[in-house]
Amino acid sequence: MNNPITLPGLIDVHVHLRDPGQTHKEDFLTGTSAALAGGYTAVFDMPNNAEAVVSEKVLEAKLASARKQIVSDLGVYFGSLGENLDEFDRVRERVRGLKLYLNVTTGGYKIDTDYLMRIFTAWKCDKPVLLHAEADVIKTALEVTAKTGQKTHVCHVSCREELEPILEAKKSGLPVTCGVCPHHLFLNEGDVERLGNFGRMKPELKPVKDVDYLWSELDKVDVIESDHAPHTVEEKQSGTFGVPGLETTLGLMLWAERDGRLGREKLIDLLSEGPRRVLGLEKQDATVEVEPVEFKFSNEGLKTKCGWTPFEGMPGYGRVKRVVMRGETVYEDGEVLAKPGSGQLL
Ligand code: DOR
Ligand code: ZN
């Protein structure tokens, strides 16, 4: 048998834990339990809750719910539809960044690019603006980064048309980072036939040539983000966008490492060091022990409330055996040992 693998606690800069508002599909306890099961010790939650997190009041309700339940560490982002700029000064210290949607997705919180300049200027601080900006708007968005000098993170980059301008912007010294999701690396548009709506998310799965391009430029990508977006089986059957990812990302990436597609150093960079850099986080006292075994992903035994994965039947490598945070074993052999509320708000 190969040696056990020891990794630093993984960090996911992009999850949707649905709490409060849609706790029939996930809540802070099940979502952070899924995080630990996947080797993540810190996750960062998006503001597209049923009630958008665009005011101090809604933010406080969300943090209050999190405080009682989290078993991993957790941070949250604020949102904006362009009408809450006066809230920014009040909430900036309690959030890790500002998330803006420039394309249609779950929740219907799309804003027009005309708002960007105003929002970026009002936010202006060290904490990043995170963008859902697909191919049609990426260049306009990067122009705003150039004009304002505001740190910008482009989420879930899915194709050449999105990644190329980002890499150019990076080369020219703009403060821009980007993340790629496992589903855009391990699935392609051909899989939609097999998966039906379980293979639908925003951005959509792309042609193989784009997937190949993402792999070929992965050394220039800052983070792998799961975009863990749980929806129930019934909801997926009737057509919502998003797939869960917290419990499958590490197994996929270790599989790719075994396959020779990336080295251990880059894997750790994408899943832990990179996220720390993007969000300006302190080093966490957290380690993950992984058993070096091959397996097939399954819908059985997942901690996420939605209970399915688009990667079912695909091969993975490495089973998370133990997670230790701040000297305490918080997860071992499939069991969450941490008490609800023992995670820290970051
Ligand atoms: O597929 C997606 N689902 N993309 C997003 O940007 C949002 C997410 C969700 O909240 O379900
Ligand atoms: Zn998302």
Side-chain angles (χ1 to χ4, degrees):
M1 182 140 129
N2 294 329
N3 292 331
I5 300 164
T6 304
L7 300 171
L10 308 183
I11 302 172
D12 196 339
V13 303
H14 190 156
V15 300
H16 301 264
L17 301 189
R18 312 298 189 201
D19 192 338
Q22 293 172 313
T23 52
H24 63 287
K25 44 187 162 197
E26 198 75 289
D27 59 40
F28 281 126
L29 178 56
T30 58
T32 54
S33 296
L36 292 182
Y40 286 95
T41 49
V43 294
F44 292 85
D45 195 55
M46 291 294 168
N48 66 332
N49 286 75
E51 187 174 3
V53 183
V54 293
S55 72
E56 185 185 22
K57 188 162 160 266
V58 178
L59 173 67
E60 270 312 311
K62 180 164 174 168
L63 293 174
S65 184
R67 248 178 231 116
K68 286 187 272 186
Q69 299 183 68
I70 52 176
V71 288
S72 74
D73 291 352
L74 175 121
V76 304
Y77 303 114
F78 203 55
S80 181
L81 301 170
E83 274 113 37
N84 62 345
L85 309 190
D86 53 331
E87 301 266 345
F88 290 179
D89 284 344
R90 287 199 288 276
V91 301
R92 221 183 252 108
E93 288 307 309
R94 283 172 265 175
V95 301
R96 281 293 168 177
L98 179 74
K99 172 73 184 283
L100 304 174
Y101 293 89
L102 302 179
N103 299 94
V104 169
T105 184
T106 311
Y109 301 135
K110 176 178 181 292
I111 57 163
D112 202 277
T113 49
D114 294 347
Y115 283 98
L116 278 183
M117 202 50 209
R118 236 162 27 95
I119 299 176
F120 268 58
T121 308
W123 181 253
K124 191 109 178 33
C125 68
D126 268 358
K127 293 179 176 174
V129 170
L130 297 97
L131 295 178
H132 182 137
E134 299 188 31
D136 57 328
V137 290
I138 187 68
K139 287 195 177 138
T140 315
L142 292 171
E143 279 165 25
V144 180
T145 302
K147 276 191 203 136
T148 56
Q150 166 62 43
K151 237 172 114 175
T152 305
H153 175 75
V154 185
C155 298
H156 45 48
V157 175
S158 66
C159 59
R160 182 190 278 263
E161 240 190 305
E162 291 162 7
L163 187 52
E164 241 169 23
I166 294 167
L167 296 183
E168 271 166 39
K170 272 175 172 280
K171 235 200 224 157
S172 72
L174 291 193
V176 59
T177 56
C178 66
V180 168
C181 298
H183 43 267
H184 293 127
L185 289 172
F186 293 89
L187 299 172
N188 64 69
E189 67 177 9
D191 290 304
V192 180
E193 210 172 300
R194 175 174 63 83
L195 292 167
N197 203 58
F198 293 90
R200 300 288 306 282
M201 74 294 292
K202 294 292 181 187
E204 298 277 2
L205 294 178
K206 294 295 188 313
V208 173
K209 65 175 175 21
D210 284 301
V211 177
D212 290 345
Y213 180 75
L214 296 183
W215 277 109
S216 74
E217 298 293 357
L218 201 61
D219 58 322
K220 304 187 189 87
V221 167
D222 299 274
V223 304
I224 296 289
E225 50 191 56
S226 76
D227 197 359
H228 178 78
H231 297 281
T232 65
V233 168
E234 296 72 33
E235 287 167 340
K236 285 305 283 181
Q237 281 161 345
S238 58
T240 53
F241 298 115
V243 295
L246 277 170
E247 291 165 89
T248 45
T249 299
L250 177 60
L252 289 166
M253 293 309 291
L254 283 171
W255 181 262
E257 180 197 296
R258 229 165 120 72
D259 232 14
R261 286 192 265 175
L262 81 166
R264 176 68 52 84
E265 208 177 310
K266 183 62 186 172
L267 182 142
I268 292 174
D269 196 61
L270 287 166
L271 294 173
S272 188
E273 301 288 333
R276 252 181 354 98
R277 277 197 305 275
V278 167
L279 296 181
L281 306 169
E282 315 237 307
K283 210 171 171 78
Q284 253 194 323
D285 176 8
T287 51
V288 180
E289 284 174 45
V290 181
E291 265 181 279
V293 289
E294 282 184 25
F295 64 92
K296 284 213 160 45
F297 290 106
S298 163
N299 292 338
E300 302 298 317
L302 295 170
K303 304 274 183 220
T304 175
K305 212 181 264 191
C306 73
W308 63 276
T309 165
F311 303 108
E312 174 161 65
M314 287 173 59
Y317 190 72
R319 200 180 71 89
V320 174
K321 170 151 185 67
R322 186 177 297 114
V323 181
V324 180
M325 290 177 72
R326 297 178 277 272
E328 301 279 328
T329 301
V330 289
Y331 176 91
E332 191 161 18
D333 293 328
E335 295 298 318
V336 173
L337 304 175
K339 283 201 196 63
S342 59
Q344 288 185 1
L345 282 178
L346 299 174

